[in-house]
Amino acid sequence: MKVRYLFADKKKLIAKAQSLDAAAQKSLYDLYAPKMFSVCRYYVRDLQYAEDVVVTGFFKALTHLHQLDDPEKFEGWLRRIIVREALSFLRQANHLIYTEDEFPFEEAVEESDGDWSIDDLQLLIDQLPESQKVVFVLYALEGYSHKEIGHTLDIPKGTSKSYLSRARKTLKENIHQFYSKKNDQSKV
């Protein structure tokens, strides 16, 4: 089934959606939901919960769409809402538990050679403990600073650095294991 959009211009689409036009709101959802689902999946492992988070995020976005001043910034604005909603879901599900520790921050791990698919990388990210995963995604994929992560998650900046370090170390180990298994399977 091919999706046809009723509105060719995104500015007009957003303006119509701001005026509570249901067709425009549906078109906005159809246009941005797949990308926002991908963003949400970085945080939420379970596909059904991720879908719920996206729907809840869209509901909040459409409810507050009148507060958006610049339609050009819609996607970034929506992305922040989805990220906040995913973090809120994880907090409510008690998946996010941070403890202050004294582990030093390690430098970035060495890059590994290999032929990786997006599914492979998502699988490796999903294997991280939730607290490490969230800090890793916020830092490496969303571009948050440790100060911003600390503020968003209500943790000290040093704890953010520590969890990123642990996530990198765990990912490095998992990549080596995954790559070894992949090479072993290709030899058979």
Side-chain angles (χ1 to χ4, degrees):
M1 180 173 139
K2 189 173 183 177
V3 177
R4 284 184 33 193
Y5 298 105
L6 300 174
F7 304 92
D9 183 12
K10 289 181 186 178
K11 285 183 183 180
K12 288 180 184 175
L13 175 63
I14 292 168
K16 280 288 221 181
Q18 284 175 324
S19 67
L20 305 178
D21 181 301
Q25 290 177 339
K26 170 90 170 84
S27 291
L28 265 181
Y29 180 83
D30 292 341
L31 185 62
Y32 288 99
K35 188 180 282 189
M36 294 304 119
F37 180 75
S38 295
V39 169
C40 189
R41 270 289 290 124
Y42 290 135
Y43 301 93
V44 181
R45 285 186 178 122
D46 186 284
L47 297 176
Q48 285 77 25
Y49 287 131
E51 287 175 358
D52 290 347
V53 169
V54 170
V55 169
T56 303
F58 262 97
F59 177 76
K60 286 185 178 181
L62 293 174
T63 302
H64 295 85
L65 193 56
H66 64 279
Q67 296 174 349
L68 180 67
D69 295 330
D70 185 0
E72 293 291 325
K73 296 180 180 180
F74 175 75
E75 187 172 341
W77 178 75
L78 178 61
R79 184 182 187 105
R80 284 190 303 278
I81 291 171
I82 297 296
V83 167
R84 276 191 242 119
E85 201 58 38
L87 294 175
S88 177
F89 167 79
L90 292 173
R91 276 191 205 99
Q92 288 173 355
N94 291 321
H95 290 288
L96 290 181
I97 301 170
Y98 294 95
T99 58
E100 243 183 282
D101 49 34
E102 298 180 15
F103 291 100
F105 179 69
E106 298 172 2
E107 294 301 316
V109 296
E110 300 169 354
E111 290 184 28
S112 176
D113 290 335
D115 188 21
W116 299 94
S117 73
I118 291 174
D119 291 336
D120 293 341
L121 295 174
Q122 183 66 57
L123 177 69
L124 291 169
I125 291 171
D126 281 345
Q127 291 174 353
L128 291 171
E130 287 296 332
S131 52
Q132 292 177 21
K133 177 182 172 181
V134 169
V135 170
F136 177 80
V137 170
L138 286 171
Y139 184 85
L141 302 178
E142 299 292 335
Y144 281 48
S145 69
H146 287 293
K147 183 178 179 181
E148 292 170 320
I149 293 170
H151 179 71
T152 301
L153 300 176
D154 196 26
I155 60 174
K157 183 174 146 181
T159 301
S160 172
K161 288 181 178 183
S162 176
Y163 276 96
L164 177 63
S165 174
R166 289 182 191 179
R168 285 177 169 167
K169 184 178 179 184
T170 302
L171 275 174
K172 184 177 179 180
E173 291 167 0
N174 291 348
I175 286 170
H176 288 298
Q177 288 175 0
F178 187 81
Y179 193 60
S180 295
K181 286 180 187 176
K182 216 173 182 182
N183 282 338
D184 291 343
Q185 290 175 353
S186 66
K187 291 179 184 177
V188 175

